Amino acid sequence: MSAWVELADRTWVRRYEKYDVNIGLVLGSDGALVIDTRGDVAQGEELLGHIREVTDAPIRWVVNTHAHYDHVFGNPAFPDATSYAQENTAAAVAETVAIDVPFSVAKVIDLGDRRVELLHLGNGHTDGDVVVVVPDVDVFFAGDLIEESAPPSYGEDSYPLEWPDTVDRLIGLLSATAKVVPGHGAIVDAEFVREQNDNLGTVANTISGLHHGGTSLEAALAHTDDWPWPQAHVEQAVRRAYATLGTPARPTLPLLGLAKND
């Protein structure tokens, strides 16, 4: 387990061996804000102890980047904090974790002498992904929209066709010196985000091309060319995209259409 790394003024990340998940901590004059809380209450309580290694300031805010358990189920360890999440995330975890402040597109949290911005830039890893921006130090906590230690994860609640556009919006916010904290893995920069999004775009475009060409789901799942990652990794992306696009139409040869007009 690694120690806290101070990315910038009063802005830290801690990378946990369990799930290789990154947790953020931002300190302001009015208290501390935690970004994600790990996978269960015990892990959240361990996180609380680790935060006390850095600051004894009251933990007044918790932000969850999305609904997956390894990022949100530690919330009950922070009963005095106000929790924030995109409204789709809040709905997805409602039976397990209560979120105090659901929001749709954007929210600003005032930490006293600085602010933190919460942005839902579109669908991607889930329909509730939030990027947490600390603008005064050019740090972005991207959740699982970006991953460093493995390829981006296409789960049963992912949006492979929309994901590249969402990350494009993130790229538009990044300076050349921005520090981006992925949901899992090492800290990255804008160039890494652009390269990863090129791969996300390749997956989306390949699936769209197969579908447009009349390729069946079964044949698309067996497709081995063009993928930037192992075929097995993109299987769920194919299934999710085809569920959105529907059954592909049989391709019509232009020659047949001409024959009917003769």
Side-chain angles (χ1 to χ4, degrees), residues 15 19-20 66 68 70-71 124-125 143-155 158 163 167 182-186 188 192 195-200 203 227-237:
R15 181 178 175 182
Y19 310 123
D20 195 25
H66 61 289
H68 292 163
D70 52 330
H71 297 262
H125 181 63
D144 286 5
L145 280 173
I146 301 297
E147 297 211 36
E148 186 276 333
S149 54
S153 179
Y154 293 104
S158 65
W163 199 333
V167 176
H184 305 266
V188 300
F192 179 96
E195 290 176 0
Q196 185 159 101
N197 204 39
D198 286 345
N199 290 333
L200 289 167
V203 171
W227 306 123
W229 300 299
Q231 178 187 4
H233 186 82
V234 301
E235 177 180 331
Q236 191 62 249

Side-chain angles (χ1 to χ4, degrees), residues 139-179:
V139 172
F140 296 74
F141 292 87
D144 286 5
L145 280 173
I146 301 297
E147 297 211 36
E148 186 276 333
S149 54
S153 179
Y154 293 104
E156 295 180 352
D157 52 355
S158 65
Y159 291 79
L161 299 180
E162 299 177 51
W163 199 333
D165 289 339
T166 298
V167 176
D168 267 342
R169 298 182 190 107
L170 170 59
I171 291 169
L173 302 174
L174 300 178
S175 72
T177 58
K179 295 178 180 178

